[in-house]
Amino acid sequence: MDHLDQLENISIYLIREAYANFKSLGMLWSIGKDSTVLLWLTRKAFFGHVPFPLIHIDTTYKIHEMTAYRDRLTVQWRLKMIYGISEEALRNKQTFPDGKADRIACCRLLKTEALKNTLSGKGPAISLIMTRVNMNWIKTTNLLPASLLE
């Protein structure tokens, strides 16, 4: 088994463990490359099916083709989607492009606040977030059975 196969197997194991151990699970999907890889791995882990909702925080500033891609995959793969949007910030034009917020405040309003509002009471309690990690860290924290790390 080569290194990429090992990483894929570990990822699939962790996704299945999260699903087995958390009652209310959702996965953030930004439509970017990293979260789309996580979506692909999730489909692989569950034989083409995604058994929990995907959460997309829509800032309305994505390239049109990206949202069309998201919408197409949602239909083709029968994905359950939860959309979050900061309607108040957009309505009040509290954005960087409108000149009423710096980049940090704009990101907080359009992404962080929208995510907090989306998850408060209505959405999943736990979200899968993919991050690039050092394999040595995974091994030393004993997160996985030794058989997967061989």
Side-chain angles (χ1 to χ4, degrees):
M1 177 181 324
D2 69 11
H3 183 66
L4 285 179
D5 288 332
Q6 182 182 15
L7 290 175
E8 183 179 87
N9 288 340
I10 289 168
S11 298
I12 288 171
Y13 172 82
L14 290 172
I15 292 166
R16 287 176 177 161
E17 283 296 301
Y19 180 68
N21 288 289
F22 292 101
K23 185 177 170 184
S24 184
L25 185 66
M27 184 176 80
L28 296 174
W29 184 30
S30 69
I31 325 170
K33 64 185 180 307
D34 291 342
S35 64
T36 300
V37 166
L38 183 58
L39 173 57
W40 181 260
L41 288 168
T42 301
R43 290 186 74 233
K44 198 165 185 177
F46 298 102
F47 309 101
H49 175 66
V50 179
F52 41 77
L54 300 178
I55 303 158
H56 178 76
I57 302 304
D58 192 352
T59 64
T60 72
Y61 285 98
K62 291 278 188 200
I63 299 168
H64 172 73
E65 289 79 7
M66 290 178 75
T67 54
Y69 173 74
R70 175 202 66 197
D71 295 342
R72 188 178 76 245
L73 287 187
T74 299
V75 172
Q76 286 177 349
W77 293 350
R78 295 183 182 117
L79 303 171
K80 180 179 178 190
M81 295 291 300
I82 296 172
Y83 296 95
I85 189 166
S86 184
E87 292 174 350
E88 184 179 348
L90 290 168
R91 185 175 44 253
N92 295 331
K93 297 192 180 290
Q94 294 176 293
T95 66
F96 181 75
D98 290 313
K100 290 189 179 176
D102 62 27
R103 290 179 190 269
I104 302 294
C106 180
C107 186
R108 181 182 52 76
L109 290 167
L110 296 185
K111 295 178 181 179
T112 307
E113 292 302 318
L115 178 62
K116 288 183 347 187
N117 291 338
T118 301
L119 295 179
S120 65
K122 295 180 187 175
I126 303 293
S127 296
L128 282 177
I129 302 171
M130 183 173 116
T131 185
R132 296 180 189 136
V133 297
N134 179 325
M135 280 301 294
N136 290 327
W137 178 83
I138 289 176
K139 290 176 185 176
T140 59
T141 56
N142 297 318
L143 288 174
L144 301 170
S147 62
L148 280 178
L149 298 172
E150 296 170 352

